[in-house]
Amino acid sequence: MVKSSVLGYPRIGAEREWKKALEAFWSGKIEESVLHEKLKEIRLNHLRKQQEKGIDLIAVNDFSYYDHILDTATMFGIVPKRFAYEGGSVPLSIYYGIARGTKEATASEMTKWFNTNYHYIVPELDGATPVLTENRPLAAYREAKEELGIEGKPVLVGPLTFLKLSKGYEPSETAAWIDRLLPLYVQILQELAQEGVQWVQIDEPILVTKLSDEDLAALKKAYDTFAAAAPSLNIMLQTYFESVENYSEIINLPVKGIGLDFVHGLTGNISTIQAQGFPSDKVLGAGIIDGRGIWKASLREKLTVLEQLSGFVTSDRLIVQSSCSLLHVPVTVRNEAKLLPELKGALAFADEKLDEIILLTKAVSTGVSSIAAELEQCDQALETLKQSGARNRNDVQEAVAVISIQEPKRSKPFAERHIAQQKKWQLPILPTTTIGSFPQSAEVRKARQLWRKGEWNQEQYEGFINEQIDIWIKLQEEIGIDVLVHGEFERTDMVEFFGEKLEGFAFTQFGWVQSYGSRCVKPPIIFGDVAFDEAMTVKETKYAQSQTKHPVKGMLTGPITIMNWSFVRDDISREQIAYQLAYALRQEVEALEGAGIGMIQVDEPAVREGLPLKEEEQAEYLAWAVKAFRMTTCTVQDTTQIHTHMCYCEFHDMIDSIEAMDADVISIETSRSHGELIHSFEVNTYKLGIGLGVYDIHSPRVPRVEEMTSMIERALRVLDPKLFWINPDCGLKTRGLEETVDALRNMVKATEIARSKHGLKV
Ligand code: GLN
Ligand code: ZN
């Protein structure tokens, strides 16, 4: 019989119960025991739901207290030295310390989980001796069985993926590290086998990237070892997010099943199977329901794919499953009460995807006619959206067609603009600035709620926002910052804010997904053609500027970030969506400039999020992403200073593209990766204005002046002081007021020290 399977389910809960529990614990509102209880309840609910829907292979150990890579590292006792870990099972205080930092020790680096918007904590191997501190997959399996009678499928991150995502070792040590990790995996797997576990899912998404011969040898060794150590266990070697590289090596591994992504890696995986076949002794985990997208699947198209696959694998060796963990989509469409019917009808979140998996499994098992009614409904829902007015805006389509064939270019090169801008702005050397947002206090959130509920009218709310702006303009002046910001108090989220004001977007009420730790985002849905309606940021920026003599930067989110942090339609290309956004945002840039705002920051923290995993596709993406940024910013005067900001990930291999964006100033996050980016400027020269973040904003810890002076010193060794800016790593909205003020004061002190040390005139 064909089986249905899910690779992982969202952790956060339909109402973000998970996030709330974590944060209550961190702020001391609940005890550790209460946290355990609450999380257990959430975890069991999620399992029960999948059980009720009738999923055959339900993932267990997909749940986490923060992040599954951190879970894996701590399960192996891999804890950075600075956390004074003394062995044994890693206490929650250390676990959360690694994730979030403590007063004494900085947090571990956080980075993107492949090309998703999920961020994991990077394990620091640095000479650690791994030991198995607990068998988490086993505990999860037992719990599901005892509490709910579920025969779960434990999930674990595979050794090669774990290693490749870690830092603190040389590539030449790969084999040695695999040897250190294997005994731990073996123990886990043997204990699972002893317990009577049927299927284990070992995630090796790294197999969709290019691997060296050493990596492949390590992979083979690992899976040979597993097969020998636990022969009774059915291992599903799971890949996702793209088609696999090295197909022939992979299918020869001694595992029972291979899981492939037939959504994001559809073309590649299908053509390889057609060329090389699929081994007759293995089960195929056919990932055909998109674990990352929110659209209802066209069941008809999915059946065609399954039909194709049936030519290579008999149905008793087929598992119908999600393309990846459902971690990346919200929980359910069911509770959404405010969406247009034509849109709601075409959506499928995690729970609805469970239904789709069940339907397809049924169709394959008992014939397509058994789901005839559902097929019909599905076709109709998709057709209705296609015909909607929102998807057929000729005005937008025509205008974008015209501007996308022009080359988007500022009228003068940077060197000339720089002179004109210096003359106009008269900034001191090493100018200081911040990234945009200031702490969103409880008061700010409360005010927004009152206004949203209609208890406050527009005037009251705007009055409140202006008061916040006043407070922070004064504070910034008093601290001694050179280029000010208004603080973004009117925004909850940097994408949502713009989406609400542009056309073509829709907003869910509960469509949250985990971004990192307890931080969840509610991505807007770009379901129609994007259009500018009226100015979005002019009022607050203009007000802030009227309160100070210092320049105030206007603050926008860039087209690529809006796109990459939204769920987007899949009927036109991402490139086209980016150009539609760029055209709309250009009108905002022009409105700001027209209102007398002469510095405009267009944030693009998420450019890298959209980078294709396959190297051969990256250049094309970067080219149109850069073009969209330039399209947004190129029409301003020479003296108008365009800023941009990037964060969250590695940039060292895309400096050329960053330079090609031609922003007058860029601020980049650096401190969490401990200055690795600085190193890349030793090899690449950067000729535009640049600020490398001098302190980590993800931690409540106030950095000392000396820490920041040393960051500045290091940067100035490779970057031109005349082009260098001083700023924190990112926006400050998640921080408290006092720590923010203290940190910024220290930042200004560090700047003054650097200025005088270098004999740089102010
Ligand atoms: N301007 C935004 C802020 O300060 C940038 C946020 C970001 O980079 N993620 O909040
Ligand atoms: Zn940032």
Side-chain angles (χ1 to χ4, degrees):
M1 272 309 270
V2 189
K3 282 202 168 66
S4 57
S5 176
V6 169
L7 274 53
Y9 187 85
R11 300 162 185 151
I12 59 175
E15 283 165 31
R16 286 181 297 154
E17 306 84 301
W18 182 84
K19 169 199 177 70
K20 290 171 195 161
L22 259 54
E23 290 176 359
F25 173 67
W26 294 339
S27 64
K29 289 196 190 95
I30 60 170
E31 301 274 319
E32 186 169 330
S33 60
V34 180
L35 177 71
H36 291 309
E37 269 167 44
K38 281 185 188 276
L39 295 197
K40 180 172 179 182
E41 190 187 321
I42 295 170
R43 189 162 64 231
L44 292 180
N45 268 338
H46 295 168
L47 294 177
R48 199 175 294 119
K49 204 180 307 185
Q50 298 174 73
Q51 183 182 33
E52 281 163 7
K53 298 263 188 198
I55 299 291
D56 297 312
L57 297 172
I58 299 173
V60 296
N61 193 41
D62 56 332
F63 193 80
S64 178
Y65 275 55
Y66 195 94
D67 159 49
H68 54 279
I69 298 295
L70 178 60
D71 293 343
T72 313
T74 52
M75 177 166 79
F76 295 158
I78 296 171
V79 173
K81 287 208 180 58
R82 60 189 180 279
F83 291 96
Y85 162 65
E86 287 170 347
S89 145
V90 175
L92 263 193
S93 55
I94 293 188
Y95 177 88
Y96 284 135
I98 303 171
R100 312 174 62 226
T102 62
K103 281 213 171 62
E104 297 79 31
T106 47
S108 281
E109 191 185 332
M110 164 177 85
T111 198
K112 269 169 71 61
W113 175 241
F114 295 87
N115 58 353
T116 71
N117 182 28
Y118 177 82
H119 300 79
Y120 70 91
I121 301 290
V122 181
E124 298 174 31
L125 303 186
D126 302 293
T129 311
V131 283
L132 192 65
T133 63
E134 56 182 324
N135 188 339
R136 279 185 199 249
L138 179 64
Y141 173 82
R142 282 190 178 147
E143 182 186 68
K145 189 154 196 169
E146 280 158 21
E147 303 276 350
L148 302 167
I150 290 176
E151 182 57 49
K153 172 190 57 167
V155 184
L156 55 162
V157 180
L160 192 65
T161 297
F162 179 76
L163 197 57
K164 300 287 279 183
L165 299 186
S166 298
K167 60 185 220 174
Y169 72 103
E170 295 298 323
S172 61
E173 298 169 294
T174 302
W177 261 101
I178 284 284
D179 286 346
R180 259 169 247 160
L181 292 173
L182 287 190
L184 282 60
Y185 276 95
V186 163
Q187 191 181 336
I188 293 174
L189 296 175
Q190 285 180 334
E191 287 175 15
L192 291 176
Q194 249 162 41
E195 189 78 10
V197 169
Q198 308 283 306
W199 278 98
V200 181
Q201 172 187 321
I202 306 191
D203 285 356
E204 290 282 18
I206 204 74
L207 300 182
V208 308
T209 65
K210 285 221 162 58
L211 296 172
S212 66
D213 290 346
E214 292 76 42
D215 295 336
L216 288 171
L219 179 77
K220 180 161 168 24
K221 179 160 189 198
Y223 289 85
D224 283 346
T225 309
F226 299 165
S232 67
L233 214 50
N234 296 322
I235 293 177
M236 172 62 82
L237 178 63
Q238 186 61 53
T239 69
Y240 39 79
F241 298 150
E242 253 301 346
S243 58
V244 291
E245 302 279 328
N246 308 104
Y247 180 76
S248 50
E249 282 86 351
I250 293 168
I251 53 171
N252 281 318
L253 293 171
V255 292
K256 182 75 185 174
I258 310 273
L260 300 176
D261 185 335
F262 291 108
V263 178
H264 300 277
L266 178 66
T267 334
N269 280 335
I270 287 266
S271 56
T272 323
I273 289 189
Q274 279 166 344
Q276 302 187 36
F278 189 78
S280 59
D281 61 339
K282 286 190 175 32
V283 168
L284 176 65
I288 62 166
I289 290 300
D290 190 356
R292 301 177 54 173
I294 52 159
W295 302 105
K296 200 170 239 176
S298 159
L299 294 176
R300 219 172 277 283
E301 279 170 24
K302 299 296 169 186
L303 284 171
T304 325
V305 177
L306 287 170
E307 173 80 337
Q308 260 177 304
L309 293 176
S310 69
F312 301 92
V313 47
T314 52
S315 63
D316 57 322
R317 290 190 297 112
L318 188 69
I319 296 183
V320 175
Q321 57 187 31
S322 55
S323 67
C324 59
S325 165
L326 302 177
L327 180 68
H328 310 288
V329 291
V331 176
T332 177
V333 182
R334 204 173 31 218
N335 303 335
E336 300 297 336
K338 297 190 176 161
L339 295 175
L340 290 171
E342 62 264 39
L343 173 60
K344 186 173 174 181
L347 293 174
F349 298 167
D351 287 355
E352 292 73 28
K353 289 179 193 295
L354 298 179
D355 294 331
E356 294 181 337
I357 292 172
I358 294 291
L359 280 174
L360 290 173
T361 310
K362 188 169 163 192
V364 182
S365 310
T366 55
V368 175
S369 59
S370 65
I371 64 159
E374 287 91 347
L375 264 182
E376 183 65 24
Q377 265 171 17
C378 171
D379 289 346
Q380 239 171 41
L382 296 178
E383 185 59 24
T384 309
L385 182 60
K386 189 173 165 205
Q387 299 303 336
S388 70
R391 283 207 170 175
N392 294 282
R393 294 228 6 197
N394 289 335
D395 55 340
V396 172
Q397 290 169 12
E398 278 160 22
V400 171
V402 171
I403 71 161
S404 56
I405 50 171
Q406 299 158 355
E407 195 201 321
K409 205 166 149 215
R410 301 273 303 259
S411 62
K412 295 259 169 57
F414 172 74
E416 286 172 45
R417 299 193 312 260
H418 181 61
I419 295 167
Q421 288 169 16
Q422 264 314 95
K423 202 161 149 216
K424 173 165 179 192
W425 300 106
Q426 303 280 319
L427 292 172
I429 194 125
L430 303 180
T432 51
T433 190
T434 61
I435 308 303
S437 60
F438 282 125
Q440 294 243 335
S441 58
E443 206 191 346
V444 172
R445 291 196 299 269
K446 173 111 187 284
R448 191 175 305 112
Q449 263 173 16
L450 288 171
W451 168 67
R452 286 219 158 136
K453 279 192 214 140
E455 286 174 38
W456 270 16
N457 60 30
Q458 189 66 17
E459 212 172 286
Q460 272 170 306
Y461 181 61
E462 279 173 21
F464 173 85
I465 296 290
N466 287 351
E467 277 166 32
Q468 297 298 312
I469 295 176
D470 289 339
I471 295 172
W472 276 95
I473 290 287
K474 288 208 187 72
L475 273 171
Q476 292 173 87
E477 286 182 336
E478 193 228 311
I479 295 168
I481 308 252
D482 302 308
V483 171
L484 314 193
V485 295
H486 77 283
E488 303 181 22
F489 302 103
E490 74 288 6
R491 310 181 188 176
T492 30
D493 176 276
M494 63 188 290
V495 174
E496 183 183 61
F497 178 81
F498 291 93
E500 277 177 346
K501 296 184 187 312
L502 291 168
E503 288 172 34
F505 284 73
F507 291 86
T508 60
Q509 289 164 278
F510 308 101
W512 298 94
V513 286
Q514 187 186 1
S515 170
Y516 65 88
S518 70
R519 178 143 163 81
C520 298
V521 291
K522 188 153 68 66
I525 300 175
I526 302 182
F527 76 104
D529 292 328
V530 176
F532 177 87
D533 182 20
E534 56 175 8
M536 303 177 275
T537 63
V538 172
K539 203 178 345 149
E540 292 83 5
T541 320
K542 216 172 136 186
Y543 176 77
Q545 186 63 84
S546 73
Q547 301 301 303
T548 180
K549 292 202 171 59
H550 291 276
V552 172
K553 277 190 286 190
M555 201 54 69
L556 308 181
T557 306
I560 301 299
T561 297
I562 293 187
M563 179 179 72
N564 286 346
W565 282 349
S566 297
F567 286 119
V568 302
R569 54 197 286 198
D570 55 2
D571 62 321
I572 62 172
S573 69
R574 294 177 79 83
E575 179 180 354
Q576 280 308 312
I577 299 171
Y579 295 161
Q580 288 191 355
L581 283 159
Y583 174 57
L585 291 166
R586 174 198 279 197
Q587 296 168 67
E588 182 68 13
V589 167
E590 288 168 356
L592 279 169
E593 188 182 48
I597 303 301
M599 293 192 185
I600 300 168
Q601 178 170 316
V602 178
D603 289 327
E604 284 289 25
V607 169
R608 210 190 163 103
E609 316 250 317
L611 195 68
L613 286 172
K614 298 281 182 210
E615 264 164 51
E616 56 274 23
E617 294 166 14
Q618 293 177 350
E620 191 192 340
Y621 163 77
L622 286 171
W624 61 253
V626 167
K627 181 170 167 186
F629 181 87
R630 292 171 65 133
M631 228 180 220
T632 309
T633 52
C634 69
T635 56
V636 297
Q637 298 163 22
D638 301 339
T639 48
T640 296
Q641 190 167 67
I642 296 291
H643 289 234
T644 187
H645 165 69
M646 292 189 173
C647 56
Y648 286 133
C649 57
E650 289 167 26
F651 296 105
H652 61 268
D653 57 353
M654 52 183 278
I655 307 282
D656 290 348
S657 299
I658 293 176
E659 199 154 17
M661 289 163 72
D662 200 26
D664 297 301
V665 183
I666 181 169
S667 56
I668 308 192
E669 172 190 24
T670 5
S671 63
R672 252 207 169 194
S673 56
H674 309 293
E676 279 158 19
L677 180 65
I678 297 180
H679 174 69
S680 60
F681 291 108
E682 288 162 4
V683 273
N684 303 279
T685 48
Y686 191 81
K687 301 230 167 45
L688 290 83
I690 183 164
L692 302 180
V694 296
Y695 79 89
D696 177 15
I697 60 87
H698 296 100
S699 153
R701 187 176 150 273
V702 175
R704 285 174 293 121
V705 176
E706 307 81 79
E707 293 172 41
M708 293 194 263
T709 31
S710 76
M711 290 288 291
I712 300 172
E713 285 307 313
R714 214 178 140 197
L716 288 183
R717 260 179 256 147
V718 291
L719 291 162
D720 180 352
K722 288 197 204 71
L723 297 175
F724 197 69
W725 286 64
I726 312 278
N727 48 258
D729 260 354
C730 191
L732 296 159
K733 75 173 184 195
T734 56
R735 297 273 60 91
L737 183 136
E738 264 172 49
E739 71 207 38
T740 299
V741 171
D742 289 350
L744 291 176
R745 278 194 214 287
N746 286 356
M747 184 182 91
V748 170
K749 268 188 217 141
T751 307
E752 283 160 0
I753 293 170
R755 283 173 184 159
S756 66
K757 182 164 174 210
H758 289 265
L760 300 169
K761 283 222 193 65
V762 172

